[in-house]
Amino acid sequence: MLDWLGGAAAGLAALGLSLRYNWWRAPRRGVPLLMYHHITDNLNGSGLAKLRVAPRRFARQLDWLLGHGYQAVTLSRALSADAPARPVAITFDDGFANFYDEAWPLLRERGMAATVFLVTAEVDGANAWDRDKGEPEEPLLSRAQILELAARGVEFGGHSHNHHDLTALDDRGLMREITGCQKALTDLLGKPARVFSYPYGLFNDQVRQATSRAGFTMACTTRPGMIVHATDRLSLPRIIVKRSDDMLDFRLKMSRARSRL
Ligand SMILES: [Zn+2]
């Protein structure tokens, strides 16, 4: 009886591990786009702590990428004819100031590039869109920081003007949130931005078309997967990296392209 219980417990544990690591799935080919939000040790009472990756873990993930021959380039370059042999695009949604303080020094010392998606109405401000969810206020990148980073090769893209759910908006709203975002980016950076990330990963045909009309040629979702030749450039899958991911999780995500929030 005890042996049977032990066997059942071991079986359940193995099943749990299997569900977590998806080891049975075949490796996936394609260009990986990694999705991050915060790089910080400070959880600040957030209910979304899973989006706050510790700097030490982030550094180990970058070292793993380097050690496996990946070259971190901007999203635009990763999907261009000019892409290196083994590209990876490291993307950051929302444009938090901890990108400047925590992520960029680790990227820069390794010669790695990144792409940051800005909420243009809140540049120099904070994450106002999170307020009604009880999320702590966090500073966003300032204009001066953005210009300095852009000069050093960081790519900036749009994440809408006010971080609204774009699928809930009419044409006027889409104009304000997507075309308005492009205008603000063009004013800030001196040239139109090419890349976009849908707030909350939410989009539909109308949103997709408005994004294209605003001059963005690539747009990211939060759906898991890797980019292959046939992937629609305006609904790009990404691999979400979470605080709880250890190196085994990260390696399996990189090969299986499985992730969920
Ligand atoms: Zn966001």
Side-chain angles (χ1 to χ4, degrees):
M1 181 65 182
L2 274 177
D3 277 358
W4 182 86
L5 272 178
L12 276 176
L15 179 64
L17 279 172
S18 292
L19 288 173
R20 178 167 179 197
Y21 293 117
N22 290 282
W23 54 265
W24 67 90
R25 291 183 193 278
R28 297 275 295 271
R29 288 181 181 280
V31 177
L33 313 184
L34 298 178
M35 172 181 141
Y36 294 90
H37 283 78
H38 296 272
I39 302 298
T40 181
D41 278 322
N42 183 6
L43 299 187
N44 206 5
S46 170
L48 289 168
K50 60 189 173 188
L51 298 180
R52 295 172 181 245
V53 174
R56 272 190 55 200
R57 284 218 168 161
F58 181 61
R60 285 193 65 194
Q61 292 160 4
L62 299 183
D63 288 336
W64 186 91
L65 292 171
L66 284 177
H68 287 77
Y70 284 97
Q71 199 175 330
V73 295
T74 62
L75 171 57
S76 295
R77 186 162 168 226
L79 302 185
S80 75
D82 182 36
R86 204 162 196 203
V88 58
I90 304 175
T91 72
F92 295 81
D93 281 14
D94 301 341
F96 289 107
N98 55 46
F99 176 82
Y100 185 90
D101 298 322
E102 302 280 1
W104 177 241
L106 299 172
L107 289 158
R108 189 185 176 191
E109 69 191 17
R110 291 168 175 78
M112 300 169 99
T115 298
V116 180
F117 298 108
L118 301 172
V119 179
T120 43
E122 304 294 345
V123 167
D124 273 315
N127 50 333
W129 65 89
D130 276 336
R131 216 166 276 151
D132 58 353
K133 297 175 206 91
E135 276 298 293
E137 191 144 306
E138 295 283 353
L140 298 172
L141 291 167
S142 69
R143 298 178 83 84
Q145 287 171 330
I146 292 166
L147 292 174
E148 180 190 332
L149 292 165
R152 295 185 188 279
V154 174
E155 174 174 48
F156 287 96
H159 194 43
S160 85
H161 199 51
N162 292 284
H163 207 286
H164 289 163
D165 168 3
L166 301 177
T167 63
L169 302 178
D170 60 12
D171 284 346
R172 258 187 71 188
L174 290 180
M175 200 61 190
R176 183 189 67 234
E177 288 301 314
I178 303 176
T179 311
C181 175
Q182 176 65 284
K183 187 183 180 312
L185 288 170
T186 307
D187 289 348
L188 177 61
L189 301 164
K191 60 176 185 195
R194 298 169 64 187
V195 298
F196 193 81
S197 165
Y198 302 114
Y200 313 105
L202 298 171
F203 71 103
N204 56 25
D205 282 349
Q206 226 184 339
V207 170
R208 187 186 169 286
Q209 281 162 28
T211 304
S212 175
R213 272 200 304 275
F216 296 104
T217 56
M218 301 173 201
C220 294
T221 70
T222 54
R223 293 204 288 230
M226 300 229 193
I227 317 302
V228 294
H229 188 68
T231 307
D232 173 25
R233 293 304 188 251
L234 290 169
S235 52
L236 298 169
R238 287 188 289 181
I239 297 168
I240 303 169
V241 185
K242 292 186 290 189
R243 179 173 193 81
S244 58
D245 289 344
D246 58 25
M247 284 314 292
L248 181 57
D249 292 307
F250 185 77
R251 285 163 55 184
L252 283 159
K253 282 183 172 184
M254 285 298 298
S255 61
R256 273 32 169 200
R258 298 285 299 175
S259 66
R260 56 175 171 240
L261 265 182

